[in-house]
Amino acid sequence: MKLLKRNINEKDGNGSVVLRAEDPEDMWHVFNLMHKGDTVKTTTVRKVIKEGATGSTTSQRVRMTLSLQMEHIDFDPAKCLLRIRGKNVEENPHVRMGAYHTIDLEMNKDFTLSKQCWDLMTLERIDTACNVAKQAEAAAVVMQAGLAHLCLIKGHMTVIRAKLEASIPRKRTGNTAHAKGMEKFYDSIVQAIKRHVDFTLVKCVLLASPGFVKDDFHKFMMEYAIRTDDKVLLENKSKFILCHASSGHKHALDEVLTDPKVLVQLEDTKAAGDVKCLESFFEMLHTDQDKAYYGYNHVVKANQQMAIETLLITDALFRSQDIATRRKYVDLVESVRGNGGQVRVFSSLHVSGDKLGQLSGIAALLRFPLPDLDEDDKDDSDDENDLAKEGSAVVELDDTDENYI
């Protein structure tokens, strides 16, 4: 992402930035920056109807610059498109003040985003997105006989680029239909890898499956590369890592990313760091539960005693349309850091962020045990679950490039 201009008042946080999203992950960052009530200014096309002297009407599509006060934001990760609906707040010869319009914000399109108050988390997200340092990325194919998902693992999101399904005949003695079906299925996976994986960017490609499906596929792919003299596959054969997964469904990616062999390859990626941190939390929850708590009320009480060593929080909580709700999580992050704690913000588009979201979206590893927290909370039966309130803000990735054989 490129930060073209920044004009933010240091005292009250009021101001604007001019940004340009350059890749799909940038669009995810932009979605997280935008909230209801913010103003976005960019070019758009609108149908304008003109009435002639005789009463006849003509219509034409006119390109113009509009400023909208946002009321609704949709993110389509498959198309890398943000659809923003809101009211026009600047005079325009074609659109009256207060009229509603919908803008489609795409990659490589400059826009100005204005807020009444830029908080710490939104400013940090801009700094993260505009960091030119290349982050290590990976690709993964989780597969079983007749089903495969090809995913691209990035710093803040996991994108499913292809879902492949095939009807595989059963094995029968003297019948080659099963072998031919598997070969056709494997070929479709090879073509998907060639189409969606940029080997100049990815650090490794994970091949995961139950049983020997991954081994058979890897053998098929290498034989295919030799037979067709595919230099890209041959030159990058060392990047393929075989590991175990319980199925070919996309959720099996979670167990793949916890494989120690995989973590070594991905040790400098944000995704692997988040997975490792969450694993530490679950391990602590089983071995010493007085040093691991989740839920907003428990975490706040632990922070009041300056006990938090690591705060785990999902970015979905910062997308709340309620300013007060969003502010309380920003304040908590600032307080934990002020007390010397570490903060890890999990992406809700990663399996680790999705898993944390099932635990209210917020958890903490403590420096020392606090056995009295549960007793203090007996009168407070339910923690606030702001993720449930803001469920519509969490984007579920749709499968793309579905192929049926």
Side-chain angles (χ1 to χ4, degrees):
M1 181 131 70
K2 280 191 176 177
L3 177 62
L4 304 175
K5 187 178 179 182
R6 173 170 170 162
N7 182 22
I8 298 174
N9 190 310
E10 296 294 334
K11 291 183 179 179
D12 60 9
N14 186 14
S16 64
V17 293
V18 182
L19 298 167
R20 181 191 300 148
E22 296 182 313
D23 62 42
E25 190 166 358
D26 287 345
M27 295 300 290
W28 173 244
H29 285 301
V30 172
F31 173 66
N32 280 277
L33 289 172
M34 292 181 169
H35 298 103
K36 184 178 179 180
D38 295 346
T39 302
V40 63
K41 183 177 182 179
T42 189
T43 57
T44 184
V45 176
R46 184 171 173 125
K47 186 178 180 182
V48 176
I49 300 175
K50 293 182 179 180
E51 187 173 338
T54 60
S56 61
T57 59
T58 58
S59 65
Q60 63 181 60
R61 296 180 69 80
V62 178
R63 180 169 290 279
M64 64 189 76
T65 300
L66 285 182
S67 291
L68 299 184
Q69 186 177 53
M70 292 182 279
E71 293 194 1
H72 190 74
I73 309 139
D74 280 326
F75 177 43
D76 185 340
K79 296 178 181 176
C80 292
L81 180 76
L82 277 168
R83 188 162 285 113
I84 304 161
R85 184 172 184 269
K87 290 188 292 188
N88 180 38
V89 292
E90 278 189 14
E91 290 289 348
N92 188 285
H94 303 292
V95 183
R96 61 179 173 81
M97 288 278 287
Y100 280 89
H101 185 73
T102 300
I103 289 176
D104 286 345
L105 190 61
E106 302 168 318
M107 287 190 294
N108 299 307
K109 187 176 183 179
D110 295 358
F111 66 94
T112 302
L113 180 63
S114 303
K115 290 177 177 286
Q116 291 296 318
C117 180
W118 287 85
D119 60 47
L120 172 74
M121 300 311 295
T122 50
L123 291 174
E124 280 191 2
R125 186 171 280 274
I126 290 177
D127 292 339
T128 300
C130 296
N131 186 356
V132 294
K134 288 283 185 182
Q135 292 186 349
E137 297 180 350
V141 184
V142 285
M143 66 184 86
Q144 65 187 55
L147 176 66
H149 284 86
L150 190 153
C151 311
L152 297 181
I153 305 166
K154 299 193 174 185
H156 290 82
M157 63 192 295
T158 301
V159 184
I160 298 170
R161 298 303 297 157
K163 177 183 178 181
L164 303 119
E165 292 184 305
S167 179
I168 308 294
R170 290 185 178 181
K171 281 186 178 180
R172 290 188 174 88
T173 307
N175 192 328
T176 59
H178 175 80
K180 289 180 178 178
M182 289 301 292
E183 284 186 6
K184 193 175 179 183
F185 175 59
Y186 289 155
D187 183 69
S188 68
I189 299 177
V190 171
Q191 300 309 318
I193 290 174
K194 291 176 64 177
R195 186 164 60 251
H196 295 295
V197 178
D198 185 347
F199 285 96
T200 62
L201 292 177
V202 300
K203 196 172 185 183
C204 61
V205 181
L206 312 176
L207 302 177
S209 77
F212 296 99
V213 176
K214 60 186 179 299
D215 305 271
D216 294 341
F217 167 72
H218 186 257
K219 181 182 177 184
F220 172 89
M221 181 174 60
M222 289 299 104
E223 289 176 350
Y224 166 89
I226 294 169
R227 187 171 67 251
T228 60
D229 193 26
D230 192 312
K231 292 182 179 178
V232 174
L233 290 177
L234 290 173
E235 289 173 1
N236 292 280
K237 62 181 180 181
S238 60
K239 290 187 176 182
F240 290 93
I241 300 173
L242 278 60
C243 44
H244 175 78
S246 58
S247 74
H249 294 279
K250 55 188 177 184
H251 298 297
L253 189 60
D254 183 26
E255 60 195 78
V256 174
L257 291 175
T258 60
D259 188 315
K261 184 169 64 173
V262 174
L263 287 174
V264 170
Q265 297 292 325
L266 302 178
E267 60 185 356
D268 58 343
T269 67
K270 182 182 185 301
D274 288 348
V275 169
K276 196 171 182 180
C277 183
L278 195 61
E279 284 296 306
S280 298
F281 173 78
F282 282 119
E283 186 178 342
M284 186 67 73
L285 202 60
H286 284 103
T287 58
D288 190 357
Q289 60 182 8
D290 291 336
K291 289 181 68 177
Y293 284 93
Y294 61 90
Y296 178 76
N297 291 341
H298 282 113
V299 171
V300 167
K301 288 175 181 176
N303 184 54
Q304 288 169 352
Q305 300 184 48
M306 302 177 69
I308 296 180
E309 183 175 19
T310 306
L311 176 69
L312 296 71
I313 187 166
T314 175
D315 59 10
L317 293 171
F318 300 113
R319 289 199 300 274
S320 171
Q321 298 305 315
D322 179 56
I323 295 175
T325 300
R326 197 161 68 242
R327 184 72 245 175
K328 76 179 185 182
Y329 288 109
V330 174
D331 289 343
L332 177 60
V333 168
E334 291 178 342
S335 178
V336 169
R337 285 178 175 165
N339 292 334
Q342 181 188 6
V343 177
R344 292 199 73 99
V345 180
F346 286 64
S347 170
S348 55
L349 288 193
H350 267 316
V351 285
S352 55
D354 183 52
K355 212 170 184 179
L356 180 60
Q358 295 170 20
L359 294 176
S360 78
I362 186 168
L365 284 162
L366 308 188
R367 297 187 179 97
F368 47 84
L370 290 176
D372 299 332
L373 272 191
D374 279 326
E375 295 176 12
D376 292 343
D377 214 44
K378 282 180 180 176
D379 296 330
D380 199 355
S381 56
D382 292 316
D383 282 342
E384 296 176 57
N385 192 342
D386 293 303
L387 270 186
K389 296 175 189 175
E390 299 298 328
S392 60
V394 180
V395 175
E396 288 290 339
L397 279 175
D398 293 321
D399 296 333
T400 58
D401 286 11
E402 293 192 6
N403 295 310
Y404 298 90
I405 302 171

